[in-house]
Amino acid sequence: MQSLLKLSSGIDAFTRWIGKRLSWLILVAVIISAINAIVRKTLDMSSNSWLELQWVLFSIVFLLCSPWTLLDNEHIRIDIVNNLLPKRVRDAIDVVGHLFFLLPLCVVMIITGGPFFWRSYEINEQSGNAGGLPQWPAKSLIIIAFSFLFIQGISELIKRIAVMRGLIPDPHASQVTAIEAEVEHLVEAIEKR
């Protein structure tokens, strides 16, 4: 199990490295969006390729940063119900969820995304909009993103099993959710008044 935990640690480091770098593309997308809007309003010019580039940049961040979201335990779950359950049950739900839902979904998306991308690449599929971008690079994101998510899912599964066996402390045990952090911030602000 120790070798699997080392593998998990390496996967986590890679996921965090990718996520931190790609998250900056949101700023790039915002800048492109602002420049595009200013040019469109002031010079009455527009470009479909710049509009589509915004969508591709957002897609890159959304898809390729999803493993980072999983790593930081910020993925969607019903926290109100989840927090009412005993820790062992929550851990078991995570294992079952990763093993029977997340990982199979990733496999299906990789398998079905392959031909979807390959057909687009073979014909050098272009945007249906005049002056738009090629479509195949954006379609490749499906395979890449779900491959990364699959690998991170394996890492999360390894860690959750190790936590259940008592081999490592829960990496998310002291984690404060975004809502809890916001409530604490509001309470502090009210108390300062």
Side-chain angles (χ1 to χ4, degrees):
M1 190 68 178
Q2 291 303 319
S3 60
L4 289 176
L5 286 170
K6 285 182 183 178
L7 172 67
S8 174
S9 179
I11 292 169
D12 292 352
F14 173 75
T15 296
R16 192 171 307 283
W17 187 86
I18 290 285
K20 285 185 176 183
R21 273 127 192 100
L22 292 179
S23 64
W24 282 97
L25 291 178
I26 287 292
L27 178 61
V28 175
V30 167
I31 291 169
I32 290 171
S33 176
I35 291 170
N36 198 23
I38 291 168
V39 168
R40 188 173 61 247
K41 296 295 182 186
T42 59
L43 303 176
D44 198 28
M45 292 172 34
S46 184
S47 167
N48 285 330
S49 60
W50 286 104
L51 288 171
E52 290 180 8
L53 181 59
Q54 293 169 217
W55 303 337
V56 171
L57 290 173
F58 178 77
S59 299
I60 290 170
V61 172
F62 181 81
L63 288 168
L64 297 183
C65 289
S66 62
W68 187 27
T69 303
L70 182 63
L71 169 64
D72 283 348
N73 200 34
E74 293 293 332
H75 53 288
I76 296 174
R77 63 164 50 113
I78 304 171
D79 287 333
I80 295 169
V81 174
N82 192 48
N83 290 338
L84 296 175
L85 301 172
K87 173 123 178 55
R88 296 285 288 166
V89 173
R90 289 192 311 250
D91 289 342
I93 289 171
D94 280 349
V95 168
V96 168
H98 285 75
L99 196 58
F100 295 110
F101 296 101
L102 176 66
L103 297 179
L105 170 70
C106 290
V107 169
V108 167
M109 293 303 293
I110 293 165
I111 290 170
T112 59
F116 180 66
F117 157 72
W118 191 248
R119 279 191 302 274
S120 181
Y121 176 76
E122 284 182 325
I123 64 171
N124 193 25
E125 183 180 6
Q126 299 295 312
S127 170
N129 299 318
L133 298 175
Q135 295 297 296
W136 61 267
K139 290 182 178 183
S140 72
L141 293 173
I142 296 169
I143 302 165
I144 297 166
F146 280 97
S147 296
F148 286 176
L149 189 58
F150 180 84
I151 293 166
Q152 187 59 45
I154 295 291
S155 174
E156 295 303 312
L157 192 58
I158 292 167
K159 289 185 290 192
R160 192 55 43 204
I161 291 170
V163 165
M164 291 175 76
R165 289 183 171 181
L167 300 174
I168 62 170
D170 189 343
H172 306 297
S174 63
Q175 185 178 27
V176 177
T177 65
I179 293 174
E180 292 169 336
E182 185 63 28
V183 168
E184 287 178 20
H185 177 67
L186 289 173
V187 169
E188 288 174 10
I190 291 170
E191 289 174 352
K192 287 181 181 178
R193 288 184 178 194

